[in-house]
Amino acid sequence: MDTFTTLAYDGPGPWILFLPLIWAAVVVGVVTVLRRTVWRGRRGPAAGYGERSPIAILGRRFAAGEIDEDEYWRRLSVLDEQFGRSLKDGTA
């Protein structure tokens, strides 16, 4: 019985030093998951359809006559691969 009472008063032991490491791993894991899912969505395909998107800028350059039709379609196909926009609907 004497062994149990002395163990109870020795403190938490060296394993308590791992608790900050465990919490740090949890925080890093949560940030990593959020960066790969939620936060990336803000910069993803939806960002490619705004007024300052590369597709809109390309359309303005074509409308202003800075680039010809062949150049427009070539560059639009590259942007389509990046932003996932479908050209089947005929809009640019």
Side-chain angles (χ1 to χ4, degrees):
M1 193 73 162
D2 192 29
T3 305
F4 292 117
T5 58
T6 58
L7 288 178
Y9 295 107
D10 283 343
W15 61 268
I16 195 73
L17 298 175
F18 289 110
L19 285 178
L21 295 176
I22 292 171
W23 279 109
V26 168
V27 168
V28 168
V30 167
V31 169
T32 301
V33 167
L34 288 175
R35 286 184 70 192
R36 292 180 181 246
T37 57
V38 177
W39 294 338
R40 179 174 286 187
R42 294 181 185 167
R43 293 176 287 152
Y49 297 112
E51 184 179 319
R52 299 184 67 194
S53 72
I55 295 174
I57 293 170
L58 181 65
R60 284 194 295 275
R61 288 186 63 199
F62 177 63
E66 295 177 19
I67 57 175
D68 63 352
E69 185 177 359
D70 293 331
E71 181 76 11
Y72 172 77
W73 286 111
R74 187 171 57 81
R75 291 184 182 207
L76 186 62
S77 67
V78 172
L79 291 174
D80 178 42
E81 291 175 9
Q82 181 179 359
F83 291 105
R85 182 173 174 166
S86 174
L87 298 175
K88 294 179 183 177
D89 59 358
T91 60

